[in-house]
């Protein structure tokens, strides 16, 4: 937004159409943080979100609304096939796997930025103030009735996606450590598993000493075991550190976004 005249166009639209309301944030807080701001300011019974690249045409919105009328609270527009590159598609799938562990619903694999949901769901996260935001997870706080429909997704004609491979992986890590205890559970399982391995190795060493009167030869064997156990310990400490860091940031009460300007309609 800072590199073009997007805000000027939004202001002009708002001045000529009372249905248009623009909000300018103080800086780039990320897509989900900006969405949270828009969701809280939205009016009406249904909220529809769509990327500004318009790869999902607005004409497809009716499909979301029709599915919503069948008794669902959240409906995602899922493309028949991804139109991104190989690495981007792979990273996107990893992110959706991470999301599925956080959401606990099968439709996590169908999530997209093209979504429609009932406005009252925002009441479930009205007081949420953490800087780490994921709209999909927040929506699960208000409902379990998710669904998806196949929609058209065109090729990107201008610009590039803001989600690089690195950002998608970072997003997946933030999502899992910010809204799920799965990493802690994995660390616990790894600790238990390698603890059992350590006991088995100890039994082997003691048994060999009692039977043959000598210890297990080989510095490489010992060094490898120490390296493996040290690596698992550092991994577990890293996971715990991620959670402590998030607790620290939340204790600072950093807001998910700060608004700088709002448009005013002349009608």
């Amino acid at each position: 937004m800072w590199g073009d005249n997007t805000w000027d166009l939004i202001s002009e639209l708002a001045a000529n159409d009372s249905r248009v309301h623009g909000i300018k944030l103080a800086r780039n807080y990320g897509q989900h943080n900006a969405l949270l701001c828009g969701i809280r300011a939205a009016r009406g019974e249904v909220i529809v979100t769509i990327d500004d690249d318009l790869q999902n045409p607005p004409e497809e919105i009716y499909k979301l609304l029709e599915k919503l009328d069948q008794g669902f609270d959240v409906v995602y527009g899922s493309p028949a096939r991804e139109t991104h590159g190989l690495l981007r598609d792979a990273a996107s799938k990893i992110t959706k796997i991470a999301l599925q562990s956080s959401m606990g619903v099968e439709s996590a694999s169908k999530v997209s930025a093209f979504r429609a949901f009932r406005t009252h769901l925002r009441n479930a996260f009205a007081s949420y103030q953490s800087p780490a935001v994921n709209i999909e997870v927040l929506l699960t706080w208000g409902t379990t009735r998710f669904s998806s429909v196949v929609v058209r997704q065109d090729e990107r004609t201008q610009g590039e996606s803001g989600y690089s491979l690195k950002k998608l992986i970072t997003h997946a890590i933030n999502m899992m450590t910010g809204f799920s205890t799965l990493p802690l559970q994995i660390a616990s399982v790894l600790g238990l598993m390698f603890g059992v391995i350590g006991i088995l190795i100890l039994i082997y060493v003691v048994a060999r000493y009692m039977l043959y009167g000598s210890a297990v030869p080989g510095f490489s064997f010992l060094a490898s075991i120490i390296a493996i156990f040290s690596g698992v310990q550092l991994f577990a400490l890293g996971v715990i550190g991620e959670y402590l860091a998030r607790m620290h940031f939340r204790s600072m009460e950093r807001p998910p976004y700060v608004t700088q300007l709002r448009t005013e309609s002349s009608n």
Side-chain angles (χ1 to χ4, degrees):
M1 189 177 83
W2 298 102
D4 53 30
N5 61 339
T6 301
W7 179 250
D8 295 334
L9 293 175
I10 293 174
S11 300
E12 183 180 348
L13 286 172
N16 297 323
D17 192 334
S18 60
R19 297 171 298 176
V20 178
H21 298 270
I23 302 174
K24 184 178 183 180
L25 301 185
R27 64 175 180 84
N28 184 2
Y29 291 90
Q31 182 188 39
H32 285 257
N33 298 60
L35 280 172
L36 179 61
C37 176
I39 289 169
R40 287 175 171 170
R43 304 174 183 178
E45 297 181 0
V46 174
I47 295 173
V48 177
T49 66
I50 186 171
D51 282 345
D52 59 358
D53 57 20
L54 296 183
Q55 283 188 273
N56 296 121
E59 303 88 68
E60 298 282 275
I61 291 177
Y62 81 93
K63 294 182 180 180
L64 305 181
L65 301 181
E66 287 180 349
K67 192 70 174 181
L68 205 66
D69 289 338
Q70 296 178 16
F72 297 100
D73 289 328
V74 183
V75 178
Y76 292 101
S78 178
R81 64 179 183 86
E82 298 286 352
T83 58
H84 308 295
L86 180 60
L87 290 178
R88 169 68 195 277
D89 288 346
S92 180
K93 289 179 181 178
I94 292 173
T95 303
K96 290 179 179 179
I97 291 173
L99 179 60
Q100 190 165 359
S101 70
S102 302
M103 295 177 67
V105 293
E106 185 179 352
S107 58
S109 61
K110 302 293 184 181
V111 300
S112 71
F114 190 34
R115 60 174 86 78
F117 57 92
R118 303 190 186 280
T119 304
H120 69 80
L121 295 181
R122 67 185 177 189
N123 296 332
F125 47 89
S127 59
Y128 185 79
Q129 289 297 322
S130 172
V133 179
N134 185 274
I135 298 301
E136 272 63 66
V137 178
L138 293 181
L139 289 174
T140 65
W141 294 4
T143 185
T144 57
R145 294 191 293 270
F146 290 82
S147 187
S148 63
V149 293
V150 176
V151 296
R152 194 178 95 219
Q153 186 179 66
D154 299 331
E155 296 286 344
R156 180 185 294 272
T157 57
Q158 293 182 353
E160 296 180 355
S161 173
Y163 278 108
S164 62
L165 178 62
K166 180 180 177 181
K167 287 185 177 180
L168 281 171
I169 294 175
T170 301
H171 180 58
I173 294 173
N174 290 338
M175 184 166 42
M176 293 184 69
T177 56
F179 298 95
S180 171
T181 58
L182 180 62
L184 285 175
Q185 294 171 349
I186 292 175
S188 298
V189 171
L190 285 175
L192 177 62
M193 181 177 67
F194 280 91
V196 171
I197 293 175
I199 293 174
L200 293 176
I201 292 174
L202 176 63
I203 293 174
Y204 169 71
V205 171
V206 172
R208 182 182 176 88
Y209 180 79
M210 293 179 65
L211 292 173
Y212 302 104
S214 63
V216 178
F219 173 77
S220 300
F221 173 79
L222 182 61
S224 299
I225 294 299
I226 293 175
I228 292 173
F229 278 81
S230 299
V232 172
Q233 290 176 344
L234 290 175
F235 171 77
L237 286 174
V239 171
I240 295 172
E242 282 287 334
Y243 280 89
L244 289 176
R246 300 196 179 284
M247 292 173 61
H248 170 67
F249 287 131
R250 291 190 180 185
S251 67
M252 294 171 63
E253 297 184 353
R254 290 174 55 191
Y257 56 85
V258 175
T259 59
Q260 180 179 349
L261 293 173
R262 289 176 181 262
T263 58
E264 296 182 2
S265 175
S266 61
N267 294 345

